[in-house]
Amino acid sequence: MTTVFKAFKHTKLFKHCISNHLYKSTAAIPNPPYKVLFFGSDKFALVCLQKLYQDLLSPEHPIVSRLEVVYLPQSKGQELAVQKFAQKAKLPIHEWKQIQNVEEFDVGVVVSFGKLIPRSLIKSFPCKMINVHGSLLPALRGAAPIARAIEAGHKETGVTVIQIKPSHFDHGKVLAQSKPVTISDQTFAFETYEKLATIGAELCIEVLTDLPSKLANAREQDQSGVTQAPRLTLNDTLINFQTMTSTDIWNKYRAFGDQKYFLLRCMFQEQMVKLAEIKQCSESQARVVAEDALPGQVFFHVPTKTLITKCKSGYIGCTKLIIQSKVILAQDFKNGYLQRELKKGKTVFFTACEPIKTTAKQTS
Protein backbone atom coordinates (compact mmCIF):
# COMPACT_ATOMS: atom_id res chain seq x y z
CA MET A 1 0.00 0.00 0.00
CA THR A 2 1.54 3.30 -1.05
CA THR A 3 2.12 6.25 1.28
CA VAL A 4 -0.28 8.37 -0.85
CA PHE A 5 -3.10 5.82 -0.51
CA LYS A 6 -2.50 5.45 3.23
CA ALA A 7 -2.94 9.20 3.58
CA PHE A 8 -5.99 9.26 1.27
CA LYS A 9 -7.82 6.50 3.12
CA HIS A 10 -8.12 8.69 6.19
CA THR A 11 -9.69 11.61 4.31
CA LYS A 12 -13.40 12.53 4.33
CA LEU A 13 -13.58 12.00 0.55
CA PHE A 14 -12.42 8.38 0.85
CA LYS A 15 -14.93 7.65 3.61
CA HIS A 16 -17.69 9.24 1.52
CA CYS A 17 -16.81 7.08 -1.50
CA ILE A 18 -16.82 3.88 0.57
CA SER A 19 -20.07 4.82 2.25
CA ASN A 20 -21.69 5.60 -1.08
CA HIS A 21 -20.50 2.27 -2.59
CA LEU A 22 -21.89 0.27 0.32
CA TYR A 23 -25.22 2.05 0.00
CA LYS A 24 -25.50 1.15 -3.67
CA SER A 25 -24.46 -2.49 -3.19
CA THR A 26 -26.54 -3.32 -0.13
CA ALA A 27 -28.94 -0.61 1.00
CA ALA A 28 -30.09 0.18 -2.56
CA ILE A 29 -32.59 -2.68 -2.27
CA PRO A 30 -35.00 -1.77 0.54
CA ASN A 31 -36.90 -4.22 2.70
CA PRO A 32 -40.59 -4.89 1.96
CA PRO A 33 -43.36 -3.96 1.52
CA TYR A 34 -43.06 -3.49 -2.25
CA LYS A 35 -45.17 -2.09 -5.04
CA VAL A 36 -45.42 -5.18 -7.27
CA LEU A 37 -46.20 -5.43 -10.98
CA PHE A 38 -47.19 -9.02 -11.77
CA PHE A 39 -46.76 -10.63 -15.21
CA GLY A 40 -48.65 -13.89 -15.80
CA SER A 41 -51.23 -15.76 -17.84
CA ASP A 42 -52.29 -19.27 -16.81
CA LYS A 43 -53.37 -21.22 -13.73
CA PHE A 44 -49.77 -21.87 -12.71
CA ALA A 45 -49.25 -18.09 -12.48
CA LEU A 46 -52.65 -17.58 -10.86
CA VAL A 47 -51.67 -19.41 -7.66
CA CYS A 48 -48.77 -17.01 -7.15
CA LEU A 49 -50.93 -13.96 -7.90
CA GLN A 50 -53.51 -15.13 -5.37
CA LYS A 51 -50.79 -15.46 -2.74
CA LEU A 52 -49.60 -11.91 -3.39
CA TYR A 53 -53.19 -10.66 -3.33
CA GLN A 54 -53.75 -12.26 0.08
CA ASP A 55 -50.77 -10.34 1.40
CA LEU A 56 -52.09 -7.11 -0.14
CA LEU A 57 -55.37 -7.60 1.74
CA SER A 58 -53.68 -8.18 5.09
CA PRO A 59 -53.81 -5.11 7.39
CA GLU A 60 -50.04 -4.94 7.80
CA HIS A 61 -49.12 -5.41 4.11
CA PRO A 62 -45.89 -7.16 5.17
CA ILE A 63 -44.76 -7.78 1.59
CA VAL A 64 -47.11 -6.14 -0.93
CA SER A 65 -48.31 -2.55 -0.60
CA ARG A 66 -49.56 -2.27 -4.19
CA LEU A 67 -50.38 -4.92 -6.80
CA GLU A 68 -51.16 -4.54 -10.49
CA VAL A 69 -51.22 -7.10 -13.30
CA VAL A 70 -49.85 -7.34 -16.85
CA TYR A 71 -51.68 -9.79 -19.11
CA LEU A 72 -51.24 -11.04 -22.68
CA PRO A 73 -53.83 -10.32 -25.39
CA GLN A 74 -56.14 -13.27 -25.91
CA SER A 75 -55.08 -15.84 -28.49
CA LYS A 76 -56.41 -19.24 -29.50
CA GLY A 77 -56.10 -21.83 -26.76
CA GLN A 78 -54.60 -19.43 -24.25
CA GLU A 79 -55.64 -19.48 -20.62
CA LEU A 80 -56.91 -16.19 -19.23
CA ALA A 81 -56.86 -17.23 -15.58
CA VAL A 82 -54.71 -14.32 -14.37
CA GLN A 83 -56.64 -11.67 -16.27
CA LYS A 84 -60.00 -12.99 -15.07
CA PHE A 85 -58.88 -13.10 -11.45
CA ALA A 86 -57.44 -9.59 -11.61
CA GLN A 87 -60.67 -8.21 -13.03
CA LYS A 88 -62.77 -10.00 -10.41
CA ALA A 89 -60.48 -8.77 -7.61
CA LYS A 90 -60.58 -5.25 -9.12
CA LEU A 91 -56.81 -5.14 -9.50
CA PRO A 92 -55.58 -2.63 -12.09
CA ILE A 93 -54.56 -4.45 -15.29
CA HIS A 94 -52.27 -3.56 -18.18
CA GLU A 95 -52.14 -5.22 -21.59
CA TRP A 96 -48.65 -6.35 -22.59
CA LYS A 97 -46.70 -3.61 -24.40
CA GLN A 98 -49.19 -1.02 -23.18
CA ILE A 99 -47.90 -0.78 -19.61
CA GLN A 100 -48.09 2.61 -17.98
CA ASN A 101 -46.21 4.14 -15.04
CA VAL A 102 -43.72 1.28 -14.63
CA GLU A 103 -41.44 3.63 -12.71
CA GLU A 104 -43.98 3.66 -9.87
CA PHE A 105 -43.28 0.00 -9.01
CA ASP A 106 -40.46 -1.52 -6.98
CA VAL A 107 -40.30 -5.07 -8.31
CA GLY A 108 -41.62 -7.13 -11.20
CA VAL A 109 -42.79 -10.71 -10.64
CA VAL A 110 -43.02 -12.93 -13.73
CA VAL A 111 -44.70 -16.36 -13.70
CA SER A 112 -45.53 -18.42 -16.80
CA PHE A 113 -45.70 -15.33 -19.01
CA GLY A 114 -44.00 -16.55 -22.16
CA LYS A 115 -42.60 -13.25 -23.39
CA LEU A 116 -39.01 -12.06 -23.33
CA ILE A 117 -38.86 -8.98 -21.10
CA PRO A 118 -37.00 -6.05 -22.73
CA ARG A 119 -33.86 -4.78 -21.07
CA SER A 120 -35.36 -1.30 -20.69
CA LEU A 121 -38.33 -2.70 -18.77
CA ILE A 122 -36.13 -4.81 -16.49
CA LYS A 123 -34.07 -1.73 -15.62
CA SER A 124 -37.23 0.17 -14.69
CA PHE A 125 -37.60 -1.80 -11.46
CA PRO A 126 -35.23 -0.58 -8.72
CA CYS A 127 -35.69 -3.86 -6.83
CA LYS A 128 -35.22 -6.00 -9.96
CA MET A 129 -37.51 -8.52 -11.65
CA ILE A 130 -37.87 -12.11 -10.51
CA ASN A 131 -39.23 -15.18 -12.28
CA VAL A 132 -40.86 -18.31 -10.80
CA HIS A 133 -39.98 -21.28 -13.05
CA GLY A 134 -41.35 -24.83 -12.86
CA SER A 135 -38.10 -26.80 -12.81
CA LEU A 136 -34.86 -27.17 -10.91
CA LEU A 137 -32.82 -24.84 -13.11
CA PRO A 138 -30.61 -25.07 -15.03
CA ALA A 139 -32.50 -28.22 -16.02
CA LEU A 140 -35.48 -27.71 -18.34
CA ARG A 141 -35.16 -24.11 -19.43
CA GLY A 142 -38.09 -23.13 -21.61
CA ALA A 143 -41.85 -22.89 -21.95
CA ALA A 144 -42.90 -26.43 -20.99
CA PRO A 145 -40.72 -27.65 -18.10
CA ILE A 146 -43.37 -29.78 -16.37
CA ALA A 147 -44.60 -31.56 -19.49
CA ARG A 148 -41.06 -32.16 -20.73
CA ALA A 149 -39.94 -33.54 -17.37
CA ILE A 150 -42.68 -36.18 -17.44
CA GLU A 151 -42.27 -36.90 -21.15
CA ALA A 152 -38.56 -37.59 -20.56
CA GLY A 153 -39.34 -39.91 -17.65
CA HIS A 154 -37.68 -37.75 -14.99
CA LYS A 155 -38.07 -39.02 -11.44
CA GLU A 156 -38.10 -35.57 -9.83
CA THR A 157 -38.47 -31.87 -10.55
CA GLY A 158 -39.10 -28.68 -8.57
CA VAL A 159 -39.33 -24.88 -8.67
CA THR A 160 -36.68 -22.19 -9.01
CA VAL A 161 -36.93 -18.44 -8.47
CA ILE A 162 -34.40 -16.46 -10.48
CA GLN A 163 -33.50 -12.85 -11.12
CA ILE A 164 -34.53 -12.05 -14.69
CA LYS A 165 -31.65 -11.54 -17.10
CA PRO A 166 -32.08 -9.51 -20.30
CA SER A 167 -32.11 -11.22 -23.72
CA HIS A 168 -32.51 -14.79 -22.42
CA PHE A 169 -35.21 -17.03 -20.98
CA ASP A 170 -34.44 -18.74 -17.66
CA HIS A 171 -30.73 -17.79 -17.54
CA GLY A 172 -30.73 -15.52 -14.48
CA LYS A 173 -29.08 -15.97 -11.11
CA VAL A 174 -30.81 -18.37 -8.70
CA LEU A 175 -32.45 -16.67 -5.71
CA ALA A 176 -34.17 -19.74 -4.24
CA GLN A 177 -34.91 -23.33 -5.15
CA SER A 178 -37.35 -25.87 -3.78
CA LYS A 179 -36.55 -29.36 -2.60
CA PRO A 180 -36.97 -32.01 -5.31
CA VAL A 181 -40.55 -33.12 -5.94
CA THR A 182 -40.98 -36.81 -6.78
CA ILE A 183 -42.53 -37.90 -10.08
CA SER A 184 -43.70 -41.52 -10.16
CA ASP A 185 -44.47 -43.43 -13.36
CA GLN A 186 -48.17 -42.90 -12.56
CA THR A 187 -47.93 -39.13 -12.05
CA PHE A 188 -49.73 -36.96 -14.61
CA ALA A 189 -48.66 -33.44 -15.55
CA PHE A 190 -51.74 -31.79 -14.06
CA GLU A 191 -50.90 -33.27 -10.64
CA THR A 192 -47.32 -32.00 -10.77
CA TYR A 193 -48.54 -28.70 -12.20
CA GLU A 194 -50.83 -28.08 -9.21
CA LYS A 195 -48.19 -29.12 -6.69
CA LEU A 196 -45.45 -26.95 -8.22
CA ALA A 197 -47.78 -23.96 -8.55
CA THR A 198 -48.33 -24.01 -4.79
CA ILE A 199 -44.64 -24.49 -4.05
CA GLY A 200 -43.76 -21.72 -6.48
CA ALA A 201 -46.14 -19.26 -4.83
CA GLU A 202 -44.67 -19.99 -1.41
CA LEU A 203 -41.13 -19.67 -2.76
CA CYS A 204 -41.99 -16.33 -4.34
CA ILE A 205 -43.19 -15.00 -0.99
CA GLU A 206 -40.05 -16.33 0.66
CA VAL A 207 -37.85 -14.44 -1.80
CA LEU A 208 -39.79 -11.17 -1.53
CA THR A 209 -39.74 -11.38 2.26
CA ASP A 210 -35.94 -11.29 2.26
CA LEU A 211 -35.24 -9.79 -1.17
CA PRO A 212 -32.10 -7.74 -0.34
CA SER A 213 -30.36 -10.81 1.07
CA LYS A 214 -31.58 -13.10 -1.71
CA LEU A 215 -30.23 -10.74 -4.37
CA ALA A 216 -26.93 -10.28 -2.55
CA ASN A 217 -26.42 -14.05 -2.29
CA ALA A 218 -27.75 -15.03 -5.71
CA ARG A 219 -25.71 -17.69 -7.50
CA GLU A 220 -25.05 -18.28 -11.18
CA GLN A 221 -26.58 -21.36 -12.79
CA ASP A 222 -24.29 -24.32 -13.45
CA GLN A 223 -23.99 -24.37 -17.24
CA SER A 224 -23.02 -28.05 -17.25
CA GLY A 225 -26.54 -29.00 -16.16
CA VAL A 226 -28.48 -27.07 -18.80
CA THR A 227 -31.30 -28.88 -20.62
CA GLN A 228 -34.17 -27.47 -22.65
CA ALA A 229 -37.98 -27.66 -22.37
CA PRO A 230 -39.30 -26.18 -25.64
CA ARG A 231 -42.92 -25.29 -26.31
CA LEU A 232 -45.25 -28.15 -27.16
CA THR A 233 -46.51 -28.46 -30.72
CA LEU A 234 -48.88 -30.92 -32.34
CA ASN A 235 -45.86 -32.75 -33.73
CA ASP A 236 -45.06 -33.81 -30.18
CA THR A 237 -48.32 -35.80 -30.19
CA LEU A 238 -47.40 -38.01 -33.14
CA ILE A 239 -46.88 -41.68 -32.29
CA ASN A 240 -44.66 -44.08 -34.18
CA PHE A 241 -45.00 -47.58 -32.80
CA GLN A 242 -41.94 -48.76 -34.73
CA THR A 243 -39.59 -46.33 -33.00
CA MET A 244 -41.29 -45.74 -29.64
CA THR A 245 -41.50 -48.08 -26.67
CA SER A 246 -44.62 -48.49 -24.55
CA THR A 247 -42.87 -46.39 -21.88
CA ASP A 248 -42.22 -43.58 -24.38
CA ILE A 249 -45.90 -43.47 -25.31
CA TRP A 250 -47.13 -43.74 -21.72
CA ASN A 251 -44.85 -40.87 -20.70
CA LYS A 252 -46.19 -38.70 -23.53
CA TYR A 253 -49.73 -39.48 -22.44
CA ARG A 254 -48.99 -38.52 -18.83
CA ALA A 255 -47.15 -35.38 -19.94
CA PHE A 256 -49.78 -33.92 -22.27
CA GLY A 257 -51.66 -36.65 -24.15
CA ASP A 258 -54.64 -36.55 -21.80
CA GLN A 259 -55.35 -32.93 -22.83
CA LYS A 260 -57.91 -32.31 -25.57
CA TYR A 261 -55.58 -30.24 -27.74
CA PHE A 262 -52.66 -32.65 -27.35
CA LEU A 263 -54.27 -36.09 -27.76
CA LEU A 264 -51.74 -38.56 -29.14
CA ARG A 265 -52.12 -39.26 -32.86
CA CYS A 266 -51.42 -42.03 -35.34
CA MET A 267 -52.89 -43.25 -38.64
CA PHE A 268 -55.30 -46.04 -39.55
CA GLN A 269 -55.97 -46.65 -43.25
CA GLU A 270 -55.05 -43.09 -44.20
CA GLN A 271 -57.27 -41.64 -41.47
CA MET A 272 -55.89 -39.79 -38.46
CA VAL A 273 -56.70 -41.48 -35.18
CA LYS A 274 -56.54 -39.67 -31.83
CA LEU A 275 -55.96 -41.94 -28.85
CA ALA A 276 -58.26 -40.32 -26.32
CA GLU A 277 -57.73 -42.76 -23.45
CA ILE A 278 -54.53 -44.76 -23.03
CA LYS A 279 -53.76 -47.46 -20.48
CA GLN A 280 -50.68 -49.37 -19.48
CA CYS A 281 -50.85 -52.97 -20.61
CA SER A 282 -51.03 -55.80 -18.07
CA GLU A 283 -49.47 -59.23 -18.51
CA SER A 284 -52.87 -60.82 -19.15
CA GLN A 285 -53.67 -58.22 -21.81
CA ALA A 286 -50.30 -58.74 -23.49
CA ARG A 287 -51.12 -62.44 -24.04
CA VAL A 288 -53.55 -61.55 -26.84
CA VAL A 289 -50.65 -60.27 -28.95
CA ALA A 290 -49.33 -62.80 -31.45
CA GLU A 291 -45.71 -63.87 -30.95
CA ASP A 292 -44.80 -62.74 -34.48
CA ALA A 293 -46.65 -59.40 -34.18
CA LEU A 294 -44.99 -56.33 -35.66
CA PRO A 295 -44.85 -52.85 -34.10
CA GLY A 296 -48.12 -51.04 -34.71
CA GLN A 297 -50.19 -54.22 -35.03
CA VAL A 298 -53.52 -53.98 -33.20
CA PHE A 299 -55.28 -56.66 -31.13
CA PHE A 300 -58.28 -56.68 -28.80
CA HIS A 301 -58.50 -57.86 -25.20
CA VAL A 302 -62.11 -58.96 -24.67
CA PRO A 303 -62.35 -59.01 -20.82
CA THR A 304 -61.21 -55.35 -20.47
CA LYS A 305 -62.55 -54.14 -23.85
CA THR A 306 -59.14 -52.67 -24.68
CA LEU A 307 -57.22 -52.33 -27.91
CA ILE A 308 -53.66 -53.60 -27.45
CA THR A 309 -50.96 -52.32 -29.80
CA LYS A 310 -47.45 -53.75 -30.18
CA CYS A 311 -44.74 -51.11 -29.68
CA LYS A 312 -41.02 -51.14 -30.47
CA SER A 313 -40.83 -52.87 -27.09
CA GLY A 314 -43.80 -53.60 -24.87
CA TYR A 315 -47.49 -52.98 -25.51
CA ILE A 316 -49.89 -50.09 -24.91
CA GLY A 317 -53.66 -50.17 -24.35
CA CYS A 318 -56.36 -47.83 -25.62
CA THR A 319 -60.02 -47.77 -24.55
CA LYS A 320 -61.27 -44.67 -26.40
CA LEU A 321 -60.42 -43.19 -29.81
CA ILE A 322 -61.46 -40.35 -32.08
CA ILE A 323 -61.82 -41.11 -35.80
CA GLN A 324 -63.26 -38.60 -38.27
CA SER A 325 -64.10 -36.30 -35.34
CA LYS A 326 -66.23 -39.04 -33.76
CA VAL A 327 -65.47 -40.45 -30.30
CA ILE A 328 -65.72 -44.23 -30.23
CA LEU A 329 -64.95 -46.87 -27.62
CA ALA A 330 -62.38 -49.58 -28.27
CA GLN A 331 -65.23 -52.09 -28.36
CA ASP A 332 -66.86 -50.18 -31.23
CA PHE A 333 -63.55 -50.03 -33.13
CA LYS A 334 -63.23 -53.78 -32.70
CA ASN A 335 -66.81 -54.49 -33.82
CA GLY A 336 -66.45 -52.30 -36.89
CA TYR A 337 -62.98 -51.62 -38.26
CA LEU A 338 -61.04 -54.49 -36.65
CA GLN A 339 -63.43 -57.37 -37.38
CA ARG A 340 -64.03 -56.16 -40.93
CA GLU A 341 -60.32 -56.39 -41.73
CA LEU A 342 -59.82 -59.66 -39.89
CA LYS A 343 -62.64 -61.24 -41.91
CA LYS A 344 -60.69 -60.31 -45.03
CA GLY A 345 -57.68 -62.12 -43.60
CA LYS A 346 -55.81 -58.86 -43.06
CA THR A 347 -53.91 -57.62 -40.05
CA VAL A 348 -54.67 -54.21 -38.60
CA PHE A 349 -51.95 -51.63 -38.00
CA PHE A 350 -51.67 -48.16 -36.52
CA THR A 351 -49.02 -46.30 -38.50
CA ALA A 352 -47.12 -43.03 -38.09
CA CYS A 353 -48.52 -39.64 -39.15
CA GLU A 354 -46.73 -37.18 -41.39
CA PRO A 355 -45.44 -34.08 -39.54
CA ILE A 356 -48.11 -31.47 -38.91
CA LYS A 357 -47.66 -27.88 -40.03
CA THR A 358 -48.90 -25.77 -37.16
CA THR A 359 -47.97 -22.88 -34.91
CA ALA A 360 -46.45 -23.63 -31.52
CA LYS A 361 -48.66 -23.73 -28.47
CA GLN A 362 -47.20 -22.90 -25.09
CA THR A 363 -47.69 -24.80 -21.85
CA SER A 364 -46.09 -24.76 -18.34
Side-chain angles (χ1 to χ4, degrees), residues 157-170:
T157 187
V159 179
T160 307
V161 178
I162 61 172
Q163 179 181 342
I164 289 185
K165 181 179 181 179
S167 306
H168 298 281
F169 282 111
D170 309 323

Side-chain angles (χ1 to χ4, degrees), residues 147-347:
R148 296 300 186 184
I150 293 176
E151 180 188 26
H154 290 187
K155 299 302 181 184
E156 61 184 28
T157 187
V159 179
T160 307
V161 178
I162 61 172
Q163 179 181 342
I164 289 185
K165 181 179 181 179
S167 306
H168 298 281
F169 282 111
D170 309 323
H171 281 57
K173 291 183 178 181
V174 174
L175 304 177
Q177 201 161 55
S178 74
K179 294 179 180 179
V181 175
T182 301
I183 305 173
S184 77
D185 61 3
Q186 300 300 312
T187 302
F188 279 72
F190 74 88
E191 298 170 294
T192 306
Y193 188 91
E194 293 172 356
K195 186 178 294 185
L196 295 191
T198 300
I199 293 172
E202 294 171 349
L203 207 61
C204 178
I205 293 296
E206 176 188 316
V207 168
L208 291 175
T209 301
D210 193 21
L211 187 58
S213 175
K214 295 293 186 182
L215 289 170
N217 294 289
R219 59 178 173 82
E220 296 287 355
Q221 295 183 34
D222 179 5
Q223 297 303 306
S224 66
V226 173
T227 58
Q228 302 299 325
R231 296 172 187 266
L232 297 178
T233 73
L234 289 181
N235 283 310
D236 290 306
T237 70
L238 305 184
I239 298 301
N240 187 333
F241 291 97
Q242 291 189 335
T243 61
M244 294 182 183
T245 68
S246 58
T247 299
D248 295 334
I249 296 171
W250 177 243
N251 288 348
K252 277 183 173 287
Y253 182 64
R254 293 189 299 120
F256 48 78
D258 61 332
Q259 301 173 36
K260 183 178 179 180
Y261 189 84
F262 289 109
L263 296 178
L264 303 188
R265 293 158 166 83
C266 58
M267 297 293 289
F268 171 68
Q269 296 182 344
E270 299 184 353
Q271 300 178 83
M272 180 177 283
V273 177
K274 297 179 182 179
L275 307 179
E277 196 170 84
I278 289 176
K279 306 287 185 183
Q280 287 182 296
C281 189
S282 67
E283 290 184 10
S284 62
Q285 289 174 321
R287 294 192 191 105
V288 304
V289 178
E291 289 186 7
D292 59 351
L294 298 174
Q297 193 167 345
V298 183
F299 300 85
F300 187 75
H301 185 251
V302 175
T304 59
K305 301 179 181 179
T306 303
L307 292 173
I308 307 297
T309 306
K310 176 79 167 65
C311 305
K312 178 184 177 181
S313 67
Y315 316 92
I316 202 77
C318 179
T319 54
K320 189 183 295 184
L321 312 84
I322 301 177
I323 302 179
Q324 297 180 333
S325 302
K326 182 180 179 181
V327 179
I328 64 172
L329 298 176
Q331 178 75 55
D332 298 326
F333 183 89
K334 177 254 185 183
N335 292 340
Y337 298 99
L338 190 58
Q339 284 191 340
R340 182 181 65 203
E341 296 303 310
L342 292 176
K343 286 179 180 179
K344 296 177 184 178
K346 297 181 178 181
T347 52

Side-chain angles (χ1 to χ4, degrees), residues 34-37 65-66 68 94 100-107 124-126:
Y34 300 115
K35 295 185 284 291
V36 176
L37 188 58
S65 60
R66 177 179 172 183
E68 298 189 14
H94 308 264
Q100 298 179 349
N101 306 321
V102 177
E103 67 281 356
E104 296 179 5
F105 295 90
D106 300 312
V107 62
S124 299
F125 295 93

Side-chain angles (χ1 to χ4, degrees), residues 19-31 127 212:
S19 176
N20 190 47
H21 170 74
L22 290 174
Y23 174 79
K24 287 183 177 180
S25 62
T26 58
I29 305 297
N31 290 316
C127 299

